[in-house]
Amino acid sequence: MTAPTLTTARLTLRPHRPSDLDEMVEMITDPAFTAQIGAPPATREEVWHRLLRYVAHWPVMGFGHWVVRETASGAYLGEVGLMESRRATSPAFEGTPEAAWGFLPRVHGQGYAAEACAAMLGWADGRGIERTVCIISPGNAPSIRLAERLGYSSAGEVRYRDAPILFFERRR
């Protein structure tokens, strides 16, 4: 399966392309972005591998990530998606699609994440995906609020990379 293109009132969600690399690097190496996800800035090489993983996810799993662009300008805003991450969490949630989102810090607070995630979850619901989960760093209040607005409820805490992280789940 290849990734479908989704559209909303303001956004176009489309599959990743190699030409997205520089914009992805800008976001994923921004200290304001990495502080929210509780991870060190990635290298260009690591971002390239992430992009390849996003492209390959679709034909293997039947779901994956999208690049989010403003339709009117074509500007890169961030990305959303579903993944089978097989993270080494305790307890594990392997086999359940994990929702993820990330946006350039300069576009936060404009409703893009909510709009893009609603499109992503609408697509998932339409495909019969019954349950999705997400993990969020405890200090990332904006993502916690967004998850709750999207219908995710707290399912407690999991341990990931020897640290506690908040665990949320959503039913179709």
Side-chain angles (χ1 to χ4, degrees):
M1 173 178 195
T2 58
T5 297
L6 307 178
T7 57
T8 70
R10 302 181 296 164
L11 307 175
T12 299
L13 287 67
R14 65 149 175 82
H16 284 77
R17 300 176 186 150
S19 59
D20 297 320
L21 178 63
D22 290 336
E23 292 163 311
M24 290 176 66
V25 168
E26 177 189 352
M27 180 178 75
I28 296 171
T29 60
D30 185 318
F33 176 82
T34 58
Q36 287 191 321
I37 63 170
T43 65
R44 182 178 174 81
E45 176 185 359
E46 290 167 334
V47 177
W48 174 248
H49 292 157
R50 178 187 297 232
L51 186 150
L52 293 175
R53 183 174 68 232
Y54 289 169
V55 170
H57 211 97
W58 282 98
V60 173
M61 298 305 302
F63 53 82
H65 277 74
W66 289 270
V67 167
V68 179
R69 293 189 174 275
E70 184 179 51
T71 301
S73 69
Y76 175 92
L77 303 173
E79 50 198 44
V80 299
L82 298 168
M83 61 188 161
E84 172 59 52
S85 60
R86 302 198 180 187
R87 294 184 193 269
T89 60
S90 178
F93 54 84
E94 189 172 313
T96 302
E98 178 186 346
W101 51 85
F103 286 79
L104 290 165
R106 70 173 177 268
V107 304
H108 288 186
Q110 298 178 46
Y112 292 130
E115 190 172 330
C117 287
M120 168 188 68
L121 292 170
W123 177 88
D125 290 349
R127 299 306 171 284
I129 297 175
E130 292 295 328
R131 177 177 176 249
T132 59
V133 299
C134 65
I135 58 174
I136 303 173
S137 296
N140 190 344
S143 277
I144 294 168
R145 285 191 302 273
L146 175 59
E148 291 169 344
R149 280 197 316 267
L150 294 168
Y152 284 90
S153 58
S154 175
E157 235 179 47
V158 296
R159 294 210 50 87
Y160 180 58
R161 295 186 177 160
D162 293 324
I165 194 155
L166 302 178
F167 180 66
F168 295 83
E169 64 182 347
R170 176 187 178 271
R171 302 254 176 215
R172 180 167 69 116

